[in-house]
């Protein structure tokens, strides 16, 4: 844990230092830029392969992913959700896990092996690489080549990003990459395709619903009322279409129930998210049906939606489209109940991309601060799980200090 925290502190310090340096108008020779970019990406990929093969986060999460892949391959899509197993994911990511299982079977890889664990982590590892490539692509158009490589490296070598995908093996990076595709298309006014891709993101992870206000507000600002109606319908149609193989006789009621139970599965003020609720001693405190609990349920979404609306109607559409996801996810993470420690993850990529268009160095400082503090959150949760399990006070003094 100490090395991870120290590494995160060093990366944050480097970002803060370079944010004060003048890198603009500093370009490489053509061959040098390509060489430097390739070296950065290869090094980041090799680092992830090493971490993915040798290190682990929550073993139970990886075991769960492996079992879902095996079961869906054995019983088929239509029978998967009828099995008597724990399953809190909608169907989207199960396509990915099913593909991982087929690769395992094709090469005769042992399910308990480190190699298969790495294969399970690869979708999110590729998600990291893709997101950094988008930073490089967008950055080179508006910044110097050195700045664009710096931003890509700031993402690729960020410890909390590496831990999420390569150590823990969570799906956040994969889902964030899909969301990023949708937002890039949306910025380019390719609203129909953006809606379809966004539907896929929602089908992979319900938390992607957090970003709905951004799409709505920007379409209203553009006065594009046709797409304001059409895009939600297309996103829903995409979700239903891709959920059809898991559905019997086109009865999609189970899907609605799955989203509802997933979003209410952890009925606590905070689920290891060191946010406002953990700060006031509510980490792992169960919610009831009282008026205060009801108000707590509404607080985060109201704050996040209001902040997003203010940003969209105050800033330019392109700047708002890239900064809004960061604002939404950060506000939701800080003030919404039932948050896990990883849920702030999508904010990081959009902070860096926002810098490309806004060029405000406070964004780089925010990125350094937020990734470091989330690193402390994630690593302490993993440390407690691996050393004491559930035998600790979830509202101990250190947790409230970190919050």
């Amino acid at each position: 844990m100490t090395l991870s925290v120290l590494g995160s502190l060093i990366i944050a310090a480097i970002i803060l230092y370079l944010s004060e340096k003048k890198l603009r108008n500093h370009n490489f020779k053509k061959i040098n830029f390509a060489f430097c970019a390739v070296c950065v990406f290869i090094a980041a990929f090799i680092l992830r392969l090493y971490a993915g093969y040798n290190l682990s986060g929550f073993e139970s999460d990886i075991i769960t992913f492996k079992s879902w892949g095996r079961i869906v391959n054995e019983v088929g899509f239509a029978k998967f959700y009828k099995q008597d197993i724990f399953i809190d994911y909608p169907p989207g990511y199960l396509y990915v896990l099913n593909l991982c299982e087929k690769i395992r079977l094709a090469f005769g890889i042992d399910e308990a092996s480190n190699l298969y664990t790495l294969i399970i982590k690869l979708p999110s590892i590729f998600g990291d690489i893709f997101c950094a490539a988008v930073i490089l692509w967008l950055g080179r158009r508006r910044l110097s080549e050195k700045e664009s490589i710096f931003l890509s490296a700031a993402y690729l070598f960020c410890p909390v990003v590496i831990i999420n995908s390569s150590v823990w093996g969570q799906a956040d990076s994969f889902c964030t990459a899909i969301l990023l595709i949708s937002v890039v298309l949306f910025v380019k006014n390719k609203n129909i395709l953006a809606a379809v891709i966004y539907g896929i993101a929602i089908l992979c992870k319900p938390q992607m619903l957090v970003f709905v206000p951004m799409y709505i507000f920007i379409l209203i600002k553009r006065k594009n009322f046709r797409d304001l109606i059409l895009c939600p319908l297309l996103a829903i149609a995409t979700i239903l279409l891709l959920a059809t193989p898991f559905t019997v006789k086109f009865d999609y009621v189970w899907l609605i129930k799955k989203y509802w139970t997933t979003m209410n599965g952890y009925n606590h003020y905070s689920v290891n998210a060191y946010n406002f609720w953990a700060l006031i001693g509510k980490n792992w405190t169960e919610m009831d049906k009282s008026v205060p609990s009801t108000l707590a349920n509404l607080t985060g979404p109201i704050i996040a939606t209001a902040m997003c609306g203010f940003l969209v109607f105050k800033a330019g559409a392109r700047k708002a489209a890239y900064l809004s996801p960061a604002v939404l996810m950060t506000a939701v993470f800080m003030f919404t109940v039932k948050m896990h420690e990883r849920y702030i993850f999508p904010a990081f990529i959009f902070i860096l991309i926002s810098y490309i268009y806004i060029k405000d160095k406070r964004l780089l400082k925010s990125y350094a601060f937020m990734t470091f503090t989330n690193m402390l959150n994630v690593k302490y949760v993993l440390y407690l799980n691996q050393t004491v399990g559930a035998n600790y006070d979830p509202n101990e003094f250190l947790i409230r200090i970190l919050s």
Side-chain angles (χ1 to χ4, degrees):
M1 178 178 173
T2 304
L3 287 175
S4 299
V5 173
L6 181 60
S8 185
L9 184 59
I10 292 171
I11 293 295
I14 291 172
I15 293 171
L16 289 174
Y17 172 74
L18 291 179
S19 70
E20 296 299 330
K21 304 293 287 184
K22 293 184 178 180
L23 296 177
R24 294 179 193 175
N25 303 318
H26 287 223
N27 291 324
F28 298 99
K29 293 179 180 179
K30 198 167 187 179
I31 189 169
N32 288 345
F33 171 78
F35 178 76
C36 289
V38 168
C39 286
V40 166
F41 277 76
I42 289 178
F45 186 60
I46 291 173
L47 175 62
R48 281 164 169 76
L49 291 181
Y50 174 84
Y53 187 86
N54 293 287
L55 304 177
S56 63
F58 273 115
E59 286 288 347
S60 58
D61 286 354
I62 290 295
I63 292 171
T64 299
F65 278 170
K66 289 179 177 180
S67 67
W68 288 349
R70 172 172 39 79
I71 293 169
V72 75
N73 188 69
E74 290 173 350
V75 305
F77 295 138
K79 295 182 180 179
F80 179 77
Y81 283 99
K82 297 184 181 297
Q83 305 301 302
D84 186 20
I85 59 172
F86 168 77
I87 171 69
D88 62 348
Y89 267 51
Y93 203 65
L94 292 171
Y95 285 110
V96 176
L97 296 176
N98 184 48
L99 176 60
C100 291
E101 174 67 7
K102 289 187 182 301
I103 293 172
R104 181 186 78 82
L105 293 174
F107 290 94
I109 301 169
D110 181 23
E111 185 175 319
S113 67
N114 285 6
L115 179 57
Y116 187 46
T117 297
L118 175 60
I119 291 172
I120 288 289
K121 295 175 180 179
L122 278 178
S124 280
I125 289 176
F126 287 134
D128 286 350
I129 301 299
F130 174 82
C131 287
V134 172
I135 293 174
L136 188 68
W137 173 59
L138 294 175
R140 197 181 182 194
R141 296 176 171 216
R142 301 182 66 89
L143 305 173
S144 72
E145 292 176 342
K146 283 188 178 179
E147 275 189 302
S148 61
I149 289 181
F150 160 62
L151 291 179
S152 299
Y155 191 77
L156 285 171
F157 293 98
C158 176
V160 76
V161 174
I162 296 171
I163 285 175
N164 190 293
S165 61
S166 308
V167 178
W168 202 323
Q170 279 295 333
D172 300 283
S173 185
F174 179 82
C175 299
T176 299
I178 298 174
L179 174 68
L180 179 58
I181 295 171
S182 175
V183 173
V184 170
L185 290 169
F186 189 61
V187 168
K188 294 179 176 295
N189 275 312
K190 297 180 179 180
N191 300 336
I192 303 303
L193 190 53
V196 171
I197 301 298
Y198 185 53
I200 296 173
I202 294 171
L203 193 66
C204 288
K205 207 168 182 68
Q207 288 75 27
M208 294 293 112
L209 287 165
V210 165
F211 306 101
V212 167
M214 181 268 293
Y215 291 93
I216 293 175
F217 287 141
I218 290 179
L219 285 174
I220 291 174
K221 183 172 183 175
R222 291 174 177 171
K223 298 181 180 179
N224 191 338
F225 300 110
R226 185 204 69 167
D227 285 355
L228 185 61
I229 297 172
L230 184 59
C231 286
L233 295 176
L234 283 170
I236 293 170
T238 301
I239 292 169
L240 295 180
L241 178 64
L242 293 177
T244 298
F246 294 86
T247 306
V248 178
K249 296 180 180 180
F250 299 99
D251 181 6
Y252 294 98
V253 174
W254 71 270
L255 185 60
I256 298 171
K257 291 180 179 178
K258 177 54 61 182
Y259 275 95
W260 180 257
T261 55
T262 296
M263 290 188 290
N264 291 279
Y266 295 91
N267 197 33
H268 303 84
Y269 284 91
S270 174
V271 187
N272 285 331
Y274 297 167
N275 57 12
F276 169 76
W277 302 107
L279 177 65
I280 63 174
K282 294 285 189 178
N283 188 31
W284 282 105
T285 300
E286 191 167 356
M287 302 181 68
D288 52 33
K289 296 182 179 179
S290 65
V291 172
S293 290
T294 302
L295 292 175
N297 254 316
L298 298 173
T299 300
I302 290 174
I303 292 173
T305 302
M307 292 176 68
C308 177
F310 176 80
L311 174 63
V312 168
F313 292 105
K314 184 79 173 175
R318 179 172 294 181
K319 294 178 181 178
Y322 286 126
L323 188 56
S324 291
V327 170
L328 277 168
M329 196 69 254
T330 302
V332 165
F333 179 82
M334 292 304 300
F335 299 108
T336 300
V337 296
K338 307 173 186 177
M339 288 288 107
H340 290 244
E341 65 289 321
R342 309 176 323 275
Y343 284 4
I344 197 173
F345 184 86
F348 303 147
I349 182 72
F350 287 103
I351 291 175
L352 289 179
I353 293 178
S354 295
Y355 172 77
I356 294 172
Y357 291 92
I358 300 174
K359 298 182 178 66
D360 187 333
K361 291 189 175 182
R362 288 176 297 182
L363 289 169
L364 297 181
K365 295 173 183 178
S366 296
Y367 176 79
F369 175 77
M370 289 173 61
T371 54
F372 177 67
T373 54
N374 188 237
M375 173 71 181
L376 295 177
N377 189 166
V378 170
K379 280 303 295 183
Y380 195 55
V381 169
L382 287 174
Y383 169 76
L384 291 172
N385 175 261
Q386 294 168 352
T387 55
V388 298
N391 300 314
Y392 72 98
D393 177 8
N395 293 293
E396 65 183 26
F397 180 72
L398 181 57
I399 289 177
R400 296 180 76 168
I401 289 295
L402 291 175
S403 300

